[in-house]
C-alpha cells in the first residue's frame, strides 16, 4: 500500500471574511453598469432591474438612499467584453473592518458599518 500526498491546494491573497463567525459567501450577479475591477472589501448594494431582476453594484460614498448588503470577498474583474458577471461576496458573517471601502475608494462611515451589521455582516 502506497501512502503520500496526491497534491496540495493553496488559496493565496487576502480575503475579507474572518473565522470569527463562519461566513455565508455567494456569487452575486453584477449590474450591467459595473465595468471595472472590484477589490476585496468593497461594499455592495442591491439594485432592482426590470430586465435582469436583482443585481448588485458597488456602494458609493455619495449613496444616501442605499444600504450595503454584501462585501466583495475575492477580487473580481468585470472589465471588458469578457469580464466577470458575478462577484464572490460575503452575505452573512464577519469581515475585516480595515478592508471595508466604498466603490469609489472611501472608508465606510459608522452608519454604513451599522447598516452592514443590520444586514447580518459584522465588521471586526
Amino acid at each position: 500500500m502506497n501512502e503520500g500526498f496526491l497534491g496540495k491546494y493553496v488559496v493565496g491573497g487576502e480575503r475579507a471574511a474572518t473565522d470569527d463567525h463562519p461566513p455565508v459567501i455567494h456569487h452575486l450577479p453584477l449590474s450591467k453598469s459595473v465595468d471595472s475591477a472590484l477589490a476585496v472589501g468593497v461594499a455592495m448594494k442591491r439594485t432592482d432591474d426590470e430586465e435582469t431582476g436583482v443585481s448588485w453594484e458597488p456602494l458609493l460614498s455619495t449613496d444616501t438612499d442605499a444600504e450595503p448588503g454584501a462585501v466583495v470577498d475575492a477580487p473580481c474583474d468585470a472589465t471588458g467584453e469578457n469580464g466577470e458577471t458575478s462577484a464572490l461576496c460575503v452575505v452573512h458573517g464577519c469581515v475585516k473592518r480595515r478592508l471595508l471601502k466604498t466603490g469609489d475608494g472611501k472608508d465606510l462611515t459608522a452608519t454604513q458599518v451599522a447598516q452592514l451589521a443590520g444586514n447580518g455582516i459584522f465588521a471586526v
Side-chain angles (χ1 to χ4, degrees), residues 14-58:
E14 187 165 31
R15 306 274 303 259
T18 71
D19 293 331
D20 295 329
H21 177 69
V24 176
I25 300 173
H26 289 287
H27 274 280
L28 300 179
L30 295 173
S31 168
K32 291 184 183 220
S33 66
V34 178
D35 61 356
S36 61
L38 300 174
V40 170
V42 170
M44 301 292 283
K45 66 181 179 182
R46 179 183 164 154
T47 60
D48 295 316
D49 184 295
E50 290 180 16
E51 183 181 323
T52 60
V54 174
S55 59
W56 295 79
E57 61 188 37

Side-chain angles (χ1 to χ4, degrees), residues 24 44-46 56 59 66-71 90-93 111-122:
V24 176
M44 301 292 283
K45 66 181 179 182
R46 179 183 164 154
W56 295 79
L59 178 77
E67 287 188 13
V71 174
V90 175
V91 295
H92 178 78
T111 300
Q112 291 167 328
V113 172
Q115 288 170 335
L116 269 177
N119 288 320
I121 302 171
F122 308 100

Side-chain angles (χ1 to χ4, degrees), residues 66-80:
E67 287 188 13
V71 174
V72 175
D73 189 50
C76 173
D77 188 0
T79 58

